[in-house]
Amino acid sequence: APAQPAPAPPAPAGTPAPAPGQPQTAAAAAEQLLAPNTLGGQLLIGASQRLQWLSEQTVRAAEAITDLPSLVAWASASVRDPVTQARLKDASWKLLLLFGLGVLAEYLTYRALAGLRRRLDAMAPAQLQGWARLRRVPLVVGRLVLDLVPIGAFGVVSYGLIGAVQPLPTTQLVLLTANNAYIIGRMAMALSRMLFSPASSHLRVLPCADLTAAYVSVWLRRIVIVLIAGYAVAEAGLLFGLPWGAYDAILRLVLLIVSFFLGIIVLQLRVAVARVLRAPPLKEGDVPSRSRRSLRRFRDWLAEVWHVLALLYLVALWGVWALEIRDGFSRLLRASLFTLLVLAAAKALDMLLRRALAGSFRISADLAGRYPALEQRANRYVPLLKSGVSLVLTVLTLLTLLEVWGINSFGWFSRGALGSQLLSSLMSVGFTVALAVLVWEAVNAAMQRHLDKLSRDATAARSARVRTLMPMLRTTLLVVILLFVGFNILTELGVNVAPLLAGAGVIGLALGFGSQKLVQDVITGIFLLFEDAMAVGDVVNLGGKSGVVEKLSIRSITLRDLDGSVHIIPFSTVAAVTNMTRDFSFALLDVQVAYREDTDRVVGLLTGLCQEMRTEAKWGLVIRDDMEVLGVNQLSPDGPIIRVRIKTAPIERWSVAREMNRRIKQCFDENNIEIPAARQKLVFEGQPPARPIGPAIEAPQGG
């Protein structure tokens, strides 16, 4: 009997409320979680309703396939009915008798013709090529005749003895059905042996290996036995009162078993067929054209998925036959043809769009000169855009294929439907994400362009400050953008973000009170960086700790001391900043000589040393001006102290001072200028000091 048409799935939204006293459904529970007019509520309600519809259809399909109730009812009635019992007994022993005699006659005839079969095998040539294979035709036909003669002997005995056993009319029909099924099956196997000849390769019509011939023969025998035996059982069952529903169920089950066998064959041949379908490796130096590359990619793809397509097609064929769909096979073939066309068009459109995207992101030479990093940043999004386009194209292809196979997929996107709302939400989220990416890239490009401009203008200090602030600015911008996109997505899903914002405010206030020191570190650091108090690479003094600034984070400073020690100082502990390398520096020198030396002569020698250093390539780049003589700064007990200073590059003051000290020592030694050491006088108490005739007795300090 034809299967009843499946009811259409329920609408995903707008279902009536359950009556009082009925259990609450999943859709009603979903409506309590989210508002029914939002996307999240529609998704939950639609998913629960469609799962319920799918489970109902699965149960109905299983009942239509098996029809177990009618089969069980018929079996129980047959067991209790005495007339049916008598007919079954009569048919059983007569069928066994005739079949036994027929099979015996077939076996004896087969043994009698064994010698002729061996002679035919010996007469067959071993290997023939081309048209020479036609010489096998008489031998193959003769072998087929020898295989059909035992089957004929079975038919003569089994058909001839039907009248001798005087069967009932029902028994006679059963005997005829069984004989016909057996003879048809044996003839099919004889034709199989003629084509593949698994036992003798010399008489094989189709050229194939022995293993392949045996494999095909085994599976063909199984399929033929299931088909013929199942059909015979179903026909015989009708003679004993089998309901038509159970008859159809048996035939569907037989086709299902055959489809299962074919599926096993597909899976077993998966690797072998994929090896044939896959494109062969390229020869050395072979560069395929664009169309050939596309064909190779298609062959490789087909080699990977052919078994899936074959299994789906087997399921579709069985479904069309089992459900008795009107014009099912013609519609299936038409849908298969359109499927191939849609897949080919989708593949061609995907390749075209990918090439268009790759070409649209090429930057002109003029624009690349003004924005050097623009093309590199744009190319980072090319793979993402290609994947997005492929995803959209894949969804459209699937919807088109569903429409081709009779499912109204485009109707899901009508006005007010779930698909329409989902598409609107996806477009809104996509626009938000695209806007966020555009803002992110525009701000980063502006910051990088400003940094490059500072580097070209040789404003190293401002460039270092911008490099220091850039990670914090990027992090802040990223957090703001992510929060904006996240709240937008939650809003599109129907989640009320007002409680989230209120909760975030309360949490932020609590964190602010609980981490005042951290907040103070961050705020102080931001102000210090904006005031350009220091930058990475400066030598600073912070609260007694001095060193080179190695890192500036959002809350601390990392200093590297002269001996390699690392000092990590929070911004909140910084009361004053002494930057010793801002713009320029002075190498300050205090030169002490003896009182007997001429200070003007000493100043002249010092000035000459500075001028000499400025003429050298190494020191001429770091000394920015002539030596500035500040004069005699102090008259110490050991001699006058002359103070001079040299203007240098920001971080070169110490190297210039050390080099100047080295040269002063050498120059004073060459010109016999005394550099006095610290001395002290010894006074002996108890006698008046006498005026010394010669120089006073002095001892070095500490002696």
Side-chain angles (χ1 to χ4, degrees), residues 631-645:
V632 178
N633 188 56
Q634 185 180 356
L635 295 174
S636 68
D638 299 318
I641 298 176
I642 303 171
R643 174 166 289 186
V644 297
R645 67 178 185 178

Side-chain angles (χ1 to χ4, degrees), residues 63 100 140 156 179 184 287 316 326 374 378 385 447 547 557 559 563 571:
E63 292 176 353
V140 170
V156 170
N179 288 338
I184 292 174
V287 180
R326 184 178 181 181
L374 181 59
L385 283 177
M447 293 169 62
I557 311 165
L559 297 182
D563 59 358
F571 278 121

Side-chain angles (χ1 to χ4, degrees), residues 575-629:
V577 177
T578 303
N579 195 329
M580 293 177 277
T581 54
R582 175 57 54 86
D583 298 334
F584 60 88
S585 297
F586 283 105
L588 190 63
L589 301 171
D590 287 331
V591 182
Q592 187 177 27
V593 295
Y595 277 107
R596 62 183 176 85
E597 303 296 342
D598 185 359
T599 56
D600 293 338
R601 178 170 173 254
V602 173
V603 170
L605 292 174
L606 295 177
T607 304
L609 290 175
C610 182
Q611 292 176 353
E612 179 184 351
M613 290 180 64
R614 294 193 66 188
T615 59
E616 298 177 6
K618 178 181 178 181
W619 303 106
L621 297 176
V622 298
I623 299 177
R624 296 186 175 181
D625 205 349
D626 293 333
M627 177 186 290
E628 183 180 358
V629 180

